[in-house]
Amino acid sequence: MIKRFFLLSGLCIFLSVSAQNTHTVIKGDNPYNISKKYGITIDELLKLNPKVKDGKLAIGDVLNVKAGKTAATKTSNVPSSSAKTGKIYLQPKQTIYGITKQYRISETDLRKLNPELDSHMKIGDEITLPLDNIKKYAGNQQLTPPTKPVETSVETKTQNNTKTTIDSDNEKSTTVHTSSSEDEYATYTVEQGDTVFSIVNKFGVTIDELIALNPDLSKGLKTGMVLKIKKLDAAYTKKNGDALNVVLMLPFGYSTSETQYRAMALDFLTGAKLAIERNAAKGQKLDVKVVDSGNEASFKNSLTQINPNNTDLIVGPFFKSNVIDLLDFTKTQKIPVVAPFANSPELYNYSNLIIVETNDKTYSDKIVEEVKTVYSDQKIYIVADSKKENANYIKTNLEKAVKNANVVLVNSASDIQLDQNMMTGQSAPVIAILASDNDSVGEAFSNRMIALSKEVQGMKAFSLYSVPSFEKKVDELSQASLVYLMDRKINTDGSFEKEILAAYKAKYCKTPGKYAVIGFDVMNDMLARENKKGEIFKQMNKVQTQLATKFEFVKSKANGAYVNTGFRVIRLVP
């Protein structure tokens, strides 16, 4: 239907039509040509006709249109045959949309003056415009042809660190990229099943805005098309000086005599310091300042220690409310802010925020995808935690994803029972999912899977989290084909991991704790993306695995935060 919706003739035909309030749909009509006929936008047409869903029209439908806004009567800036026109010459990175905005002319009128205008314009092409508009709005526009057409290309290399025992194919259905041009746009690659309406709803833009940025949409939506979505905020640029100025905000609580998070902060700092020293030894010039961020109530006092005009990167704070305070404090400078633990939809609107924590919804979606690939009419058990939030989410989505799914939530692994084959009366295998990160619950789940696998072949086990028993009982759990998701767990067989663990032990005479590992991973990953030009945001498409964390960032929305969606998939094969 989308192809029919956007399939247009090669020429724009403007007919004189009388002012009227309705239009009866005839063969060949679509929202695009109807809106053009009556001089309104597609969005206006759809608002006037809320019963029209997804742009689908039927012959004989009577549509409301705006009276007095027809192509013949609509006031236009296009000059009459006697009005004077002038010419500009297309400059590098200049678009049809940009010309209409700069010269205060509608795209319809621009095309009237330039019938040959299309999306394949070349630098130096002549563009005809009303002379008065050129005089008023040309500004610094070059009014002579460029001497040399400028072509730019950007090559992006992606680094993937994978281990032979780890499945790193963590594919995403939605990926938004940012361009590297002077005028930066978020872009989206059209996937199978996408429609224009699903895209505009996903990114919060109007159909007219989408078409203005992507004139080729008039020829139909095709899988693989790269669409511009919207212009991004001005990118962050590094401040003066050779050294990278980094602020590390940790909740020591010295100023407030509060010790609740001090051990956590000190542990995080040991890992971060190792990453800082490691990168400095490689020649990276760093100027690092550690700030006591206090507690949530006293946090704003710590902001006085930060000079936003001489800061290139801020790691921390830990808590969501403090992250929001910091983002408001730095909103003018657009300094990259890295949140190691806070992940909430309230944070997704901040374009200079980098969220490290992968949320449970991402994990749950992957489990649903995994179960769907092996499902064959088995009964499905989900072992829930006390909140049951993740378990209910998985259950709901499994019931949507697989036909006639019989999904049962249980509180204990002991409640998982083999099914019965109705034809033979024999025991039949089931699918079991662990949706709790409690170690003792995980131990009970492991034991139950091992016991059931001895009774019947074909058991399938999945877990949202890694628990210690999985590593202790690899051979037994492989009989249940256990698949689990792992993040912030160290692959002790890796050469990089061995090197970092040895360096940490030599420095601190102990094995790194949980928060030391996170401190190293976050700081080492961010410094690896930075360089002397301070272009951290242009390096966010790199997939990197550090000591224990996989970093795979995507934009939460076109002008929103970067959110880590990375994790590793472990598959135990019999």
Side-chain angles (χ1 to χ4, degrees):
M1 185 61 208
I2 289 298
K3 287 189 176 180
R4 184 168 73 85
F5 172 63
F6 279 103
L7 195 59
L8 308 178
S9 60
L11 299 174
C12 295
I13 303 172
F14 297 90
L15 301 176
S16 176
V17 293
S18 59
Q20 58 190 68
N21 292 317
T22 62
H23 171 85
T24 302
V25 177
I26 61 174
K27 186 177 180 180
D29 273 349
N30 58 54
Y32 185 87
N33 61 31
I34 293 172
S35 66
K36 290 299 180 185
K37 180 176 182 180
Y38 291 97
I40 58 178
T41 67
I42 295 174
D43 290 294
E44 287 173 331
L45 181 68
L46 296 179
K47 285 178 183 177
L48 287 169
N49 300 275
K51 292 183 180 179
V52 176
K53 294 182 179 180
D54 290 346
K56 296 178 181 178
L57 302 179
I59 295 173
D61 283 350
V62 178
L63 305 180
N64 293 317
V65 293
K66 284 186 178 179
K69 289 257 184 165
T70 64
T73 60
K74 183 180 176 182
T75 302
S76 173
N77 291 328
V78 67
S80 65
S81 57
S82 60
K84 293 183 178 180
T85 61
K87 294 186 184 298
I88 63 168
Y89 295 89
L90 194 68
Q91 303 300 307
K93 301 173 185 175
Q94 199 167 31
T95 64
I96 293 174
Y97 180 72
I99 293 169
T100 62
K101 290 297 182 185
Q102 178 178 347
Y103 289 96
R104 313 294 200 274
I105 184 172
S106 70
E107 186 175 340
T108 299
D109 293 341
L110 180 65
R111 290 186 181 277
K112 283 183 183 179
L113 288 170
N114 302 272
E116 302 301 319
L117 196 63
D118 61 24
S119 60
H120 304 290
M121 302 182 297
K122 299 187 297 296
I123 296 168
D125 282 355
E126 292 183 351
I127 308 293
T128 301
L129 292 168
L131 188 59
D132 287 344
N133 294 44
I134 294 175
K135 290 178 180 179
K136 287 181 183 179
Y137 307 121
N140 296 325
Q141 169 83 55
Q142 187 176 345
L143 300 180
T144 57
T147 53
K148 290 183 180 180
V150 179
E151 296 183 2
T152 61
S153 63
V154 177
E155 180 181 353
T156 302
K157 295 182 180 178
T158 300
Q159 172 187 341
N160 288 299
N161 295 324
T162 58
K163 308 297 176 188
T164 56
T165 59
I166 295 173
D167 176 1
S168 294
D169 297 327
N170 176 18
E171 297 179 358
K172 304 296 176 299
S173 59
T174 301
T175 306
V176 178
H177 300 283
T178 58
S179 69
S180 297
S181 64
E182 211 169 278
D183 291 329
E184 292 202 350
Y185 290 86
T187 62
Y188 173 70
T189 302
V190 177
E191 298 181 354
Q192 188 173 4
D194 278 338
T195 67
V196 171
F197 290 91
S198 69
I199 292 170
V200 298
N201 289 332
K202 182 181 293 184
F203 296 107
V205 296
T206 67
I207 294 174
D208 293 288
E209 288 172 340
L210 191 66
I211 292 175
L213 288 174
N214 304 277
D216 278 354
L217 272 179
S218 62
K219 300 172 185 175
L221 187 72
K222 299 181 180 69
T223 300
M225 286 178 72
V226 178
L227 301 179
K228 285 183 178 180
I229 304 298
K230 61 169 68 171
K231 189 168 182 177
L232 296 173
D233 289 341
Y236 153 80
T237 54
K238 189 184 179 302
K239 309 301 182 287
N240 295 328
D242 292 334
L244 188 74
N245 293 290
V246 181
V247 172
L248 185 55
M249 303 192 77
L250 302 174
F252 298 113
Y254 291 117
S255 59
T256 57
S257 299
E258 185 176 16
T259 62
Q260 184 178 0
Y261 301 107
R262 188 172 298 170
M264 174 183 176
L266 287 168
D267 200 31
F268 188 98
L269 180 60
T270 60
K273 282 180 65 178
L274 181 63
I276 291 166
E277 292 169 2
R278 179 181 174 83
N279 282 273
K282 292 180 179 179
Q284 191 172 24
K285 295 181 179 180
L286 300 170
D287 186 353
V288 181
K289 181 176 184 178
V290 180
V291 173
D292 182 0
S293 59
N295 56 31
E296 290 189 80
S298 65
F299 174 75
K300 289 186 178 180
N301 295 331
S302 67
L303 295 176
T304 59
Q305 301 177 56
I306 299 174
N307 177 4
N309 295 314
N310 192 34
T311 301
D312 300 306
L313 176 66
I314 301 175
V315 176
F318 288 0
F319 312 112
K320 181 182 71 175
S321 62
N322 296 162
V323 171
I324 293 174
D325 289 338
L326 177 61
L327 289 164
D328 290 338
F329 180 71
T330 60
K331 62 184 177 183
T332 303
Q333 293 81 7
K334 294 290 181 185
I335 301 167
V337 172
V338 183
F341 302 108
N343 186 330
S344 168
E346 298 168 66
L347 299 172
Y348 291 175
N349 291 323
Y350 295 90
S351 61
N352 59 314
L353 179 63
I354 300 167
I355 297 174
V356 170
E357 188 85 8
T358 301
N359 62 29
D360 286 342
K361 181 179 178 296
T362 301
Y363 294 151
S364 299
D365 287 338
K366 181 61 177 175
I367 290 295
V368 171
E369 177 190 322
E370 290 286 332
V371 172
K372 182 181 177 181
T373 61
V374 301
Y375 176 78
S376 180
D377 294 325
Q378 301 102 317
K379 191 172 184 177
I380 302 173
Y381 287 93
I382 303 176
V383 180
D385 58 14
S386 57
K387 294 182 180 178
K388 293 186 172 59
E389 186 177 345
N390 294 328
N392 281 321
Y393 179 87
I394 293 171
K395 181 178 186 293
T396 299
N397 284 277
L398 275 174
E399 289 170 342
K400 293 177 182 177
V402 297
K403 190 175 181 180
N404 300 322
N406 182 5
V407 186
V408 180
L409 263 60
V410 295
N411 297 319
S412 170
S414 60
D415 295 328
I416 301 173
Q417 303 294 329
L418 294 175
D419 207 358
Q420 189 175 45
N421 188 309
M422 299 300 291
M423 299 293 291
T424 65
Q426 296 179 334
S427 295
V430 296
I431 292 174
I433 302 169
L434 177 63
S436 170
D437 62 353
N438 182 283
D439 289 349
S440 60
V441 175
E443 179 80 24
F445 180 83
S446 296
N447 292 336
R448 187 61 178 159
M449 291 302 99
I450 293 169
L452 293 178
S453 295
K454 291 178 179 178
E455 292 187 41
V456 64
Q457 291 185 335
M459 285 291 299
K460 302 291 183 183
F462 300 86
S463 177
L464 208 58
Y465 309 102
S466 169
V467 292
S469 62
F470 292 170
E471 297 176 19
K472 297 175 184 176
K473 303 176 180 181
V474 172
D475 291 338
E476 298 97 324
L477 287 169
S478 67
Q479 299 306 310
S481 300
L482 175 65
V483 175
Y484 64 94
L485 308 184
M486 183 176 79
D487 195 16
R488 295 186 172 165
K489 296 286 184 180
I490 300 173
N491 175 21
T492 53
D493 293 328
S495 57
F496 171 74
E497 290 84 352
K498 287 179 179 177
E499 177 190 343
I500 301 305
L501 290 172
Y504 188 93
K505 192 167 185 178
K507 184 175 178 64
Y508 298 109
C509 300
K510 62 179 181 179
T511 301
K514 173 182 177 181
Y515 295 107
V517 171
I518 297 171
F520 175 86
D521 281 0
V522 171
M523 186 60 74
N524 201 53
D525 187 81
M526 292 303 133
L527 293 181
R529 296 175 194 274
E530 262 293 8
N531 55 44
K532 62 182 180 181
K533 295 181 180 179
E535 295 181 342
I536 188 169
F537 289 131
K538 294 183 179 179
Q539 306 298 322
M540 294 306 293
N541 64 326
K542 289 183 178 180
V543 178
Q544 301 183 151
T545 301
Q546 298 296 339
L547 184 59
T549 312
K550 182 177 180 180
F551 295 89
E552 185 171 0
F553 292 100
V554 300
K555 275 282 194 181
S556 59
K557 55 180 69 176
N559 233 6
Y562 287 94
V563 181
N564 187 19
T565 59
F567 53 79
R568 289 169 286 178
V569 180
I570 310 300
R571 305 176 189 278
L572 303 186
V573 181

